[in-house]
Amino acid sequence: MKKITIVGSGRVGESTAHNLAKAELCREIMLIDIKEGMPQGTALDIQESAPIFEFDTKLSGSNDLAAMADSQMVIVTAGVPRKPGMSRSDVLDTNLAVIDGIVDAMLKVAPQAMLLMVTNPVDVLTYAVAKRSRWPRNRVFGMAGVLDSARMASFIAMETGFSVKDISAMVLGGHGDTMVPMTRYTTINGIPIAHFMSDDRIERIVKRTREGGAEILSLRKTGSAYDAPAAAVASMVDAISRNRRQILPAVAMLEGEYGLEDICMGVPVVFGERGLERVIELPLSDAEAEEFRRSAEHVRADLARLRG
């Protein structure tokens, strides 16, 4: 890609920018934030690491959304983060107003760009962007499943002692307490985790995966996770920028898959140069389908607030 814009230069935005620059996934990164001097300072700080990490990506910052002009992708990390005791849904109303302004600016200066939503509640805000922009689903998607799956894989590695390089995890559903860790599709070097772990141990990992973000938030007290989310974003951008046609779990608008329509949920998708190229529909057991349905109901409850 030639240019990627990151709206929001807080911890997630900054870490994302550094990951993209080090991997040279684009020629130019624009950081945008409403705080005067913050995106400019962040961009300069990262730029000064270029000789050490040996990247030629150019970074700059702005307080004007018009600076996203000519971007091939816009990554949205802007918004109010949740505090200890808050759910991702609690920040919906505030963050929706922020997202609407970003989409309106994109429609004017970057109407052909893809949008990758990171701000929470990511399922609902991805839906809001899709409806406000009226772009096809290949250009509007959200980050959640890659992060949740990485957390699950990390916990499995911690629990078993096996190399995390051999662990492949899959998490579907909404990004929250009702997410659906797919233990049946989670393997260690191709071997189902049930071969190595008891049901009780697996259930503990499922619970910890669902509470992964809250665990970090409760430990830090004043800030939520940013390194793992930024790494997840970078993996999605890598798949698109390098046309890998890689299967990753992401928030996508469903058009009949899994029996659902007009809702954004975490599902496995194929990412390539056109963005989200297709949704992969996994066969679900009755229990898995019921969990997925409950997760969808939770997302629809927030969508009702959106429509109201």
Side-chain angles (χ1 to χ4, degrees):
M1 294 186 187
K2 291 183 179 180
K3 179 178 179 181
I4 294 176
T5 291
I6 301 171
V7 183
S9 60
R11 289 288 186 85
V12 176
E14 179 177 359
S15 188
T16 296
H18 212 168
N19 286 343
L20 299 185
K22 286 190 292 184
E24 294 188 315
L25 293 176
C26 59
R27 294 296 301 164
E28 177 187 355
I29 294 174
M30 172 61 67
L31 279 161
I32 299 177
D33 200 289
I34 61 172
K35 296 180 181 178
E36 187 69 36
M38 185 172 179
Q40 295 88 345
T42 299
L44 181 59
D45 189 18
I46 297 172
Q47 191 72 73
E48 290 171 357
S49 73
I52 300 169
F53 290 111
E54 300 182 336
F55 62 80
D56 287 319
T57 303
K58 306 301 181 185
L59 295 102
S60 53
S62 176
N63 303 112
D64 187 353
L65 286 171
M68 70 173 71
D70 302 321
S71 296
Q72 279 75 54
M73 177 178 287
V74 174
I75 301 168
V76 181
T77 68
V80 177
R82 60 180 178 147
K83 297 177 181 179
M86 295 176 68
S87 71
R88 294 176 177 88
S89 299
D90 290 336
V91 295
L92 172 59
D93 295 337
T94 300
N95 287 343
L96 179 61
V98 174
I99 301 311
D100 284 348
I102 294 168
V103 173
D104 290 347
M106 284 188 68
L107 288 168
K108 293 179 181 177
V109 301
Q112 301 304 316
M114 303 176 198
L115 188 144
L116 198 171
M117 178 60 62
V118 182
T119 305
N120 280 314
V122 65
D123 309 277
V124 180
L125 294 181
T126 302
Y127 178 91
V129 169
K131 291 301 181 180
R132 193 173 187 88
S133 67
R134 298 184 181 180
W135 290 328
R137 74 173 178 180
N138 70 293
R139 291 172 52 201
V140 180
F141 38 87
M143 187 285 296
V146 175
L147 171 61
D148 296 329
S149 298
R151 284 173 170 161
M152 186 175 180
S154 296
F155 298 148
I156 292 170
M158 294 175 193
E159 183 79 13
T160 63
F162 290 128
S163 170
V164 74
K165 294 179 181 181
D166 284 341
I167 300 172
S168 176
M170 177 64 68
V171 178
L172 307 184
H175 183 51
D177 296 339
T178 60
M179 69 179 70
V180 187
M182 300 292 291
T183 58
R184 191 161 57 92
Y185 289 99
T186 298
T187 63
I188 302 175
N189 203 10
I191 304 170
I193 59 170
H195 182 80
F196 303 101
M197 306 171 68
S198 66
D199 290 345
D200 287 345
R201 291 174 74 194
I202 292 173
E203 188 53 41
R204 284 200 303 270
I205 286 172
V206 166
K207 184 175 186 296
R208 193 176 183 189
T209 300
R210 287 179 172 143
E211 298 172 355
E215 181 179 358
I216 292 172
L217 185 60
S218 67
L219 290 168
R220 281 186 168 156
K221 304 289 193 297
T222 58
S224 55
Y226 57 89
D227 280 327
V233 172
S235 72
M236 295 171 70
V237 175
D238 175 81
I240 296 168
S241 181
R242 295 189 166 130
N243 192 26
R244 294 191 186 277
R245 293 188 53 78
Q246 188 173 359
I247 299 173
L248 296 171
V251 177
M253 178 70 76
L254 298 184
E255 300 173 349
E257 297 90 355
Y258 297 92
L260 297 173
E261 292 186 11
D262 198 36
I263 187 173
C264 287
M265 295 275 285
V267 291
V269 306
V270 178
F271 278 118
E273 62 185 352
R274 294 179 56 253
L276 194 160
E277 297 194 349
R278 71 184 178 98
V279 170
I280 294 176
E281 191 167 6
L282 298 175
L284 303 180
S285 67
D286 290 344
E288 291 163 347
E290 177 60 23
E291 284 193 52
F292 195 82
R293 183 191 63 78
R294 285 199 299 267
S295 187
E297 287 178 354
H298 183 83
V299 173
R300 286 202 188 280
D302 278 343
L303 289 178
R305 290 171 54 195
L306 183 71
R307 292 163 180 149

